[in-house]
Amino acid sequence: MGKSRSTRRERAAAETVVEDVDGGRAELIPDRDRPRAWSLLIDGAPQSHVDLDDPAHLSFEYQRRLGHVIDLAAPPGRPVRAVHLGGGALTLARYLAATRPRSTQQVVERDAALVQLVRRELPLDPGARIRVRSTDARAGLAKVADGWADLVVADVFSGARTPAHLTSGEFLDDVRRALAPGGLYAANLADGPPLAHLRGQIATAADRFAELALVADPAVLRGKRFGNAVLVACDHPLPVAELTRRAASDPQPARVEHGRALADFTGGAAPVTDAAAVDSPAPPPSVFR
């Protein structure tokens, strides 16, 4: 009974934290259903959700899909070396630290003011081996030693759009340089009809990696609505069957495309180069209502 009253008081005391950061207006909004959980919004766009009591809890669907990839990146519990391009509230770094103790992680988050806000209001476990660098994602990636990373996760948005210089084949060349043999790359992509950006990103990854898979809501893949898709790439066979099972059993089921079906989905799109790269499309206002 005493614990229940304490939990209710904690929820009542939690208030939204609002602060201007480099990327806009940041809001940390308490989750009324989970006592020490918070959602991060930037200029009204949801970015992250963190439960300080249960960092293995992933609330956002795209983060759960990236979590499936993290789970399958190595045998269960085995530590990995990971690079996160884009930090937000450090949700995925916390998840990996909780599910794979003793892992070593580098987070590259350009917004230094956001990093300070998150560290202050949502402190990291002091035992987690997480180093945060406040610099541009591509510049931070360039500082990662050759072959250091078992896993590179790209989840970078500026004004709800992925910057152009993080969409090109040249960018993926540096991802490949940083990956260890057998390493895995995963990217959170966002697009809507006619899916030109998503098709171009698949074509670009196919030009650099031997194996690909795409995890997304079927409605997004059919071009019915704007949404997120997780692209997975590496140079060895992917655990497609297990990824498919996890995606299908998620609270918001997703489909996994790979092989010939994924190649056909690209529709002849050309790989993206630095010279031709553009930001990912802006989501329609209705997405965040």
Side-chain angles (χ1 to χ4, degrees), residues 15 57 75 94 147 155 168 177 198 232 275:
E15 296 180 356
H57 172 75
R94 298 173 201 263
D155 183 16
S168 68
R177 178 198 59 75
L198 184 57
V232 189

Side-chain angles (χ1 to χ4, degrees), residues 77-144:
R78 188 164 82 184
V80 299
R81 294 185 295 190
V83 176
H84 302 266
L85 304 178
L90 308 177
T91 303
L92 290 171
R94 298 173 201 263
Y95 176 84
L96 197 152
T99 58
R100 296 184 178 278
R102 304 182 310 283
S103 292
T104 304
Q105 303 184 68
Q106 299 183 40
V107 178
V108 184
E109 170 55 61
R110 181 173 185 169
D111 195 327
L114 176 61
V115 171
Q116 291 178 354
L117 171 65
V118 169
R119 282 188 177 278
R120 186 184 73 234
E121 300 292 337
L122 309 175
L124 286 166
D125 178 346
R129 301 177 181 179
I130 300 173
R131 177 185 179 185
V132 184
R133 292 176 173 169
S134 296
T135 188
D136 172 78
R138 194 154 159 181
L141 178 64
K143 295 182 181 299
V144 176

Side-chain angles (χ1 to χ4, degrees), residues 3 18 26 33 53 72 144-145 181 200 210 236 238 244 246 258 264 282:
K3 182 177 180 182
V18 181
D33 296 321
D53 288 334
L72 298 173
V144 176
H236 60 85
L238 288 165
T244 300
R246 292 179 182 230
H258 69 288
D264 291 344

Side-chain angles (χ1 to χ4, degrees), residues 47-228:
Q47 300 288 327
S48 305
H49 180 278
V50 168
D51 188 335
L52 297 178
D53 288 334
D54 183 11
H57 172 75
L58 298 176
S59 180
F60 290 1
E61 65 178 63
Y62 85 85
Q63 290 184 329
R64 287 197 301 274
R65 291 167 190 166
L66 286 169
H68 299 327
V69 176
I70 291 171
D71 292 344
L72 298 173
R78 188 164 82 184
V80 299
R81 294 185 295 190
V83 176
H84 302 266
L85 304 178
L90 308 177
T91 303
L92 290 171
R94 298 173 201 263
Y95 176 84
L96 197 152
T99 58
R100 296 184 178 278
R102 304 182 310 283
S103 292
T104 304
Q105 303 184 68
Q106 299 183 40
V107 178
V108 184
E109 170 55 61
R110 181 173 185 169
D111 195 327
L114 176 61
V115 171
Q116 291 178 354
L117 171 65
V118 169
R119 282 188 177 278
R120 186 184 73 234
E121 300 292 337
L122 309 175
L124 286 166
D125 178 346
R129 301 177 181 179
I130 300 173
R131 177 185 179 185
V132 184
R133 292 176 173 169
S134 296
T135 188
D136 172 78
R138 194 154 159 181
L141 178 64
K143 295 182 181 299
V144 176
D146 292 3
W148 182 85
D150 301 304
L151 175 68
V152 174
V153 178
D155 183 16
V156 185
F157 288 85
S158 176
R161 304 176 72 177
T162 301
H165 69 297
L166 304 179
T167 68
S168 68
E170 291 89 338
F171 163 67
L172 290 184
D173 287 339
D174 213 23
V175 169
R176 286 181 59 87
R177 178 198 59 75
L179 281 173
L184 200 63
Y185 171 65
N188 177 31
L189 308 174
D191 199 9
L195 299 178
H197 172 72
L198 184 57
R199 298 181 204 279
Q201 289 303 283
I202 296 166
T204 305
D207 197 49
R208 261 54 181 194
F209 290 94
E211 298 287 335
L212 302 180
L214 188 73
V215 189
D217 185 306
V220 173
L221 292 176
R222 291 196 301 267
K224 298 296 185 182
R225 69 173 182 85
F226 193 98
N228 296 84

